[in-house]
Amino acid sequence: MGVRFFWAVLAMAVVVTASNYLVQFPVEASLGAINLADILTWGAFTYPVAFMVNDLTNRHFGPAAARVVVLVGFAIAVVWSIFLASPRIAIASGSAFLIAQFLDVSIFDRLRAGKWWHAPLISSVLGAVIDTVLFFGIAFAAAFAFLDTGLGLDDGSLPFATPFLSVGPDVPLWVSLAVGDFLVKIAVTLVLLVPYKALRRAIPDRVVSVA
């Protein structure tokens, strides 16, 4: 597999590590009446790139190799996350990442023979749903506070009530963050179809589905 496989692994590790760190920082800005800090973190802008890396690896090498990239990238990212974020964030990110990315591998492989945009769009959207629910639930819901307090750390939960997406009825802050994060992930995923289409020329489809 050579150099291209190495770059795929490295790209995955960098993207996930950056996202794990940036998800701790709300976007301090406003959009009309909407306070973006209540619904959005910077991690939403970087994480969808992981799906693009996964899909391009899958297209070029096949699903078996894509799963290896997911596992290696996951292992490297979790190690770095221990230093850059809290253990709870690392656990939440790792669990969500593995399940969402493996789902992405399977869906992409099933749809790869269709129109060029079907596989990356559908697999990334469904993966983003799973990733968002698992990550924000584990990382910030009060039910998982023991992942902080059990290690003698301050509770990092975000259960306090804020208006949903800054304009709706009160919900736990993490719920607004999750929905805002998901909406941005979908928007970024749509934008990433442009570089994905361009990179298809440099990274050809060499493997017939073997999953």
Side-chain angles (χ1 to χ4, degrees), residues 55-95:
D55 293 344
L56 288 170
T57 303
N58 197 338
R59 183 174 186 274
H60 186 57
F61 295 112
R67 292 185 185 101
V68 173
V69 168
V70 168
L71 288 172
V72 176
F74 159 79
I76 297 172
V78 167
V79 170
W80 281 108
S81 295
I82 292 172
F83 296 99
L84 296 177
S86 70
R88 182 175 177 179
I89 294 293
I91 293 169
S93 177
S95 302

Side-chain angles (χ1 to χ4, degrees), residues 15 36 44 53 88 121 154 162 184:
V15 170
L36 295 181
V53 172
R88 182 175 177 179
L121 180 61
D154 292 336
T162 60
V184 170

Side-chain angles (χ1 to χ4, degrees), residues 68-188:
V68 173
V69 168
V70 168
L71 288 172
V72 176
F74 159 79
I76 297 172
V78 167
V79 170
W80 281 108
S81 295
I82 292 172
F83 296 99
L84 296 177
S86 70
R88 182 175 177 179
I89 294 293
I91 293 169
S93 177
S95 302
F97 176 79
L98 278 181
I99 295 172
Q101 293 292 330
F102 279 166
L103 178 66
D104 179 87
V105 170
S106 297
I107 294 173
F108 182 93
D109 189 56
R110 289 179 179 274
L111 300 177
R112 65 191 297 172
K115 293 183 178 180
W116 71 267
W117 56 272
H118 281 181
L121 180 61
I122 295 172
S123 64
S124 295
V125 169
L126 293 178
V129 171
I130 298 301
D131 178 81
T132 302
V133 171
L134 290 178
F135 175 76
F136 281 91
I138 296 171
F140 301 121
F144 291 92
F146 66 89
L147 293 176
D148 287 322
T149 58
L151 296 174
L153 303 173
D154 292 336
D155 183 0
S157 303
L158 300 175
F160 41 92
T162 60
F164 180 63
L165 298 181
S166 289
V167 294
D170 284 353
V171 297
L173 174 57
W174 73 268
V175 174
S176 273
L177 288 173
V179 173
D181 180 271
F182 176 73
L183 293 175
V184 170
K185 282 177 181 174
I186 299 307
V188 174

Side-chain angles (χ1 to χ4, degrees), residues 17-29 36-45 84-85 89 135-136 140 158 177 181:
T17 301
S19 299
N20 289 353
Y21 180 68
L22 293 173
V23 77
Q24 301 174 95
F25 302 102
V27 176
E28 300 291 347
L36 295 181
D38 290 340
I39 64 171
L40 189 62
T41 71
W42 288 106
F45 293 92
L84 296 177
I89 294 293
F135 175 76
F136 281 91
F140 301 121
L158 300 175
L177 288 173
D181 180 271

